[in-house]
Amino acid sequence: MILTFVAVLLQAQPACLSRPAAPVAQRWAAAAARAHAIACEKLAPEIPGFAVAVAVDGRIVWSEAFGYADREARRPATPATQFRIGSASKPLTAAAIAQLFEAGQLDLDAPVQRYVPTFPEKGAPITTRLVGGHLAGIRHYQGDEFTLNRRFATVTDGLSIFANDSLLFPPGTRFAYSSYGFNLLGAVVEGASHEEFLVYMSRHVFGPLHMTSTAPDKNDSLIPNRTRFYESRSRLLGGGFAVARAVDNSYKWGGGGFLSTAEDLVRFGSALLEPGFLKGATLEVLFTPQHTAAGEATPYGIGWFVAKDSLGHRYVYHGGGSVGGSTAFGVDRDSRVVFALVTNLSNAQLAPAREIQAVFDSVASGLRR
């Protein structure tokens, strides 16, 4: 009787549905098996669908998708499924800023009005460098702005939400995270390049890096691989997942409006491991923490959080939260491991992502000894 009950219970447990992208090379097989186990045990029960990719030395060594892109239609997530990456869009925008800086088309320390003349003066200079490091005093979301479902025709139209608001503090004096600042940087890219922001990103960032699955999350576009989006249902309503509310991300392409895959993100991160796509000196501009006017170090360069991990490695990273999406993305500049986890759930708990990355960090570091 007990054995029968256990058998029935096991049958009732949902299997860990997954789709690997390709067979894993032997040297990474044990790490991939451990990472798969962590994903199945700690992520799959809590998230409708997600994908993970890891690259080492510029090559993808593991890529696998779990769960469903559409639970109602029972459509499995695959490595090609496109997820909202939220603020992981900021490093992409920072790459465009870096390119224009290298080309001499953008002065990081000039007032942003040189490139966006319609942006109001604030009584003190606001520069691209300060905006890119969250030091400009521009505010973050308020009220229901994060869940806007309103179409904005242009990048500059989207600035109207916050452009006339007062600064939170004099530029350079404090660190305060602001997605709106990166929306402004999208307009800076347009002004410096004389191209529409989305056109610039496609031609100069996504195209050269073969990021074929990275695109703006346009509601009026048919995007076959786009996932459905979910949020957790209150325990009072029985728990589980509900389809997320409809939103329009056209006001925040640069700060949080792109779709992507885990594989595309690790391709992007891998391009920043060494000079090539960008010059070495430019990479240091992005990856060096900025300081307040009083000399206090911030945790941010331009478009990236900057830290040392538990192994003492130089680690740059960015999370992403959106309606129906949560993302973890990181680049270990010493082990040369690049990691991305993309999901279709609001406010997903992604702590196990660091466990998965640590598995590959350990193997990569061991292979270098």
Side-chain angles (χ1 to χ4, degrees):
M1 177 67 72
I2 294 176
L3 290 176
T4 301
F5 174 76
V6 171
V8 171
L9 181 63
L10 289 174
Q11 289 177 1
Q13 294 294 321
C16 183
L17 175 70
S18 74
R19 290 198 173 189
V24 177
Q26 184 61 38
R27 64 171 11 186
W28 301 107
R34 176 59 185 146
H36 174 93
I38 293 170
C40 285
E41 177 187 352
K42 299 185 178 183
L43 292 171
E46 309 296 333
I47 302 172
F50 61 97
V52 193
V54 177
V56 182
D57 288 328
R59 293 186 177 183
I60 295 175
V61 300
W62 178 58
S63 173
E64 192 165 351
F66 298 79
Y68 291 98
D70 187 327
R71 294 177 72 247
E72 291 70 29
R74 311 304 284 176
R75 174 165 61 94
T78 75
T81 300
Q82 293 163 286
F83 297 83
R84 286 176 177 157
I85 62 170
S87 287
S89 301
K90 291 179 174 68
L92 307 182
T93 302
I97 292 292
Q99 286 181 323
L100 294 166
F101 165 67
E102 281 189 350
Q105 295 175 257
L106 173 59
D107 182 345
L108 294 177
D109 298 309
V112 293
Q113 287 81 5
R114 177 181 296 183
Y115 310 104
V116 193
T118 58
F119 192 76
E121 299 280 350
K122 298 296 182 181
I126 297 176
T127 69
T128 296
R129 191 188 302 272
L130 290 175
V131 175
H134 302 292
L135 287 162
I138 295 172
R139 70 172 178 86
H140 195 45
Y141 301 115
Q142 291 179 353
D144 62 357
E145 291 171 349
F146 186 69
T147 56
L148 281 180
N149 191 19
R150 171 185 164 197
R151 178 69 177 166
F152 290 85
T154 68
V155 168
T156 51
D157 284 349
L159 304 184
S160 63
I161 299 170
F162 67 93
N164 292 315
D165 292 350
S166 300
L167 298 181
L168 300 178
F169 47 80
T173 60
R174 281 176 45 201
F175 174 87
Y177 186 85
S178 170
S179 282
Y180 285 139
F182 273 75
N183 297 356
L184 175 58
L185 292 189
V188 168
V189 169
E190 290 191 340
S193 68
H194 306 292
E195 293 184 69
E196 291 183 2
F197 176 67
L198 295 180
V199 172
Y200 184 94
M201 296 298 293
S202 178
R203 288 179 178 173
H204 302 285
V205 179
F206 306 152
L209 297 181
H210 308 291
M211 298 169 65
T212 56
S213 296
T214 303
D217 183 27
K218 291 186 175 181
N219 288 351
D220 59 358
S221 296
L222 177 62
I223 304 176
N225 286 324
R226 178 165 45 189
T227 186
R228 202 167 192 187
F229 305 107
Y230 296 92
E231 52 193 10
S232 296
R233 187 184 288 115
S234 167
R235 290 183 180 179
L236 296 177
L237 298 177
F241 309 111
V243 175
R245 70 197 78 182
V247 296
D248 190 312
N249 289 324
S250 58
Y251 70 106
K252 60 176 179 181
W253 301 131
F258 286 110
L259 299 166
S260 193
T261 64
E263 290 190 359
D264 265 11
L265 286 180
V266 298
R267 288 189 187 98
F268 172 72
S270 295
L272 306 183
L273 284 171
E274 59 192 16
F277 178 67
L278 295 172
K279 297 176 182 177
T282 307
L283 293 174
E284 293 309 313
V285 170
L286 297 181
F287 297 155
T288 299
Q290 294 198 48
H291 290 73
T292 67
E296 181 181 358
T298 74
Y300 210 86
I302 295 179
W304 293 89
F305 285 96
V306 183
K308 290 283 187 73
D309 69 9
S310 60
L311 299 175
H313 292 178
R314 297 169 301 163
Y315 186 63
V316 295
Y317 65 97
H318 219 292
S322 52
V323 176
S326 302
T327 297
F329 176 39
V331 177
D332 188 316
R333 302 180 67 198
D334 292 312
S335 71
R336 297 173 63 84
V337 172
V338 181
F339 171 89
L341 165 65
V342 289
T343 82
N344 59 10
L345 181 68
S346 301
N347 300 313
Q349 299 302 304
L350 303 185
R354 290 295 291 145
E355 293 182 53
I356 294 173
Q357 182 166 359
V359 170
F360 287 91
D361 279 348
S362 176
V363 175
S365 297
L367 290 173
R368 296 184 200 289
R369 294 194 187 108

